[in-house]
Amino acid sequence: MTTMTVNDAISAALAEEMQRDPTVMIFGEGVATKRRDLLERFGATRVRNTPLAEGIIAGTAAGAAATGLRPVVDLLFAPFLCYAMDEIVNSAGKLRYISGGQFSFPMVVLAMTGAGWGVGAQHNHNVESWFVHSPGLKIVMPSTPADFKGLMKSAIRDDNPVLVFADIALGYSAGEVPEEADAIPLGKAAVRREGRDVTLVSYAKTVGTCMAAADTLAGAGIDAEVIDLRSLKPLDEDAILRSVAKTGRLVVVHEASRLCGVGAEIAALVAEKAFASLRAPVLRLTGPDAPAPASFPLEQAFVPQADAIVAAVRSQMGG
């Protein structure tokens, strides 16, 4: 095992996949500057800076993927994916189906999102559910360096477009990563903590918040299970349903806003397939339906915190 940050884990995955497969390349906003080690190792043909032109970058990636390359594009801040919606959603996401399988689109889109840097509403907006609603796309949003590395490797090898959202607050967080890390299959959640009384489901940085809440709850004799989704699409329905069948209670936590978010889908899934197991209503703790503030203290108030999770669980337990 070696210790590395999330940013380093992404770079390590890129380096290993570029070494393994000569069709893998990366380009985007500041890529050759930010990942200079890749530039020096693999050259300017495979590691390229681009102008700030998200639509052109994504469209170029879709075209490159259709010709047999495996491009990874870094579009920096997730809200600006709106400039690339047609290229990602209408082209990369649909043309494999429209062509009757004659073309595949093995491309990865990297983007940062979430609170943590005080970058304000135009740079901080959790838009992952936009793309979960789009056919043909796969979506991952990990919480640990090891998962970023393993899921990046799977995303690059997948023959479909995969969006990898990196939570801004996690970029410099460190953790243990296997030196010979295998690819982690898309669509497989991780149980971060086993429990019997309540299931906490989350992804990205709010997984850590759930773990902190679980520690507090344990002090009160409440045993919380924490599930890290890792992949939002495909979604590991079995992991969620197994846990709810055991605990009978579910709290879903994410920073993105509540309406039509991932939490709503999970609540509907459990209502349809595990209603008989429930001993309390499903609860969702999310960010508000409002633009994100630039002030760091207000930003933290914007994101679900551990004390709110503890209070939600206590209400479910009748406390």
Side-chain angles (χ1 to χ4, degrees), residues 100-262:
Q102 295 180 77
F103 297 96
S104 59
F105 293 84
M107 57 182 274
V108 176
V109 178
L110 276 170
M112 296 186 293
T113 187
W117 283 5
V119 294
Q122 290 184 318
H123 289 75
N124 171 15
H125 181 185
N126 286 74
V127 298
E128 57 271 15
S129 62
W130 289 2
F131 299 96
V132 170
H133 285 295
S134 301
L137 305 179
K138 299 183 179 182
I139 319 297
V140 300
M141 202 163 173
S143 69
T144 69
D147 284 351
F148 268 98
K149 185 176 183 183
L151 288 166
M152 271 295 297
K153 292 167 80 75
S154 285
I156 291 169
R157 296 176 192 182
D158 200 284
D159 286 335
N160 300 283
V162 182
L163 281 78
V164 178
F165 288 104
D167 199 310
I168 289 173
L170 296 178
Y172 293 98
S173 63
E176 289 192 334
V177 179
E179 291 188 8
E180 300 297 327
D182 292 329
I184 295 173
L186 304 182
K188 293 294 183 184
V191 178
R192 299 296 181 198
R193 178 179 181 137
E194 301 242 356
R196 65 179 184 278
D197 296 323
V198 62
T199 299
L200 306 179
V201 173
S202 191
Y203 58 90
K205 71 165 159 291
T206 47
V207 172
T209 312
C210 287
M211 293 293 286
D215 287 341
T216 301
L217 290 165
I222 300 172
D223 194 14
E225 182 152 296
V226 179
I227 294 180
D228 181 352
L229 292 176
R230 304 196 293 191
S231 292
L232 306 183
K233 186 180 181 181
L235 181 68
D236 192 346
E237 296 185 2
D238 289 343
I240 298 166
L241 295 172
R242 277 196 305 270
S243 182
V244 172
K246 176 173 60 172
T247 67
R249 300 177 183 87
L250 172 64
V251 179
V252 188
V253 184
H254 57 66
E255 182 178 340
S257 58
R258 178 184 179 92
L259 186 64
C260 298
V262 172

Side-chain angles (χ1 to χ4, degrees), residues 27-95:
F27 55 94
E29 298 166 359
V31 162
T33 305
K34 182 166 60 175
R35 305 190 192 280
R36 186 167 294 277
D37 57 326
L38 297 180
L39 174 64
E40 293 172 354
R41 182 172 174 182
F42 298 105
T45 300
R46 297 176 67 191
V47 183
R48 303 187 180 195
N49 279 336
T50 67
L52 298 177
E54 288 82 1
I56 294 172
I57 297 166
T60 302
T67 66
L69 297 175
R70 291 185 176 271
V72 178
V73 292
D74 191 342
L75 299 185
L76 293 183
F77 294 99
F80 298 107
L81 293 178
C82 62
Y83 290 114
M85 289 294 279
D86 185 63
E87 292 80 2
I88 295 171
V89 174
N90 266 339
S91 293
K94 297 177 182 177
L95 287 177

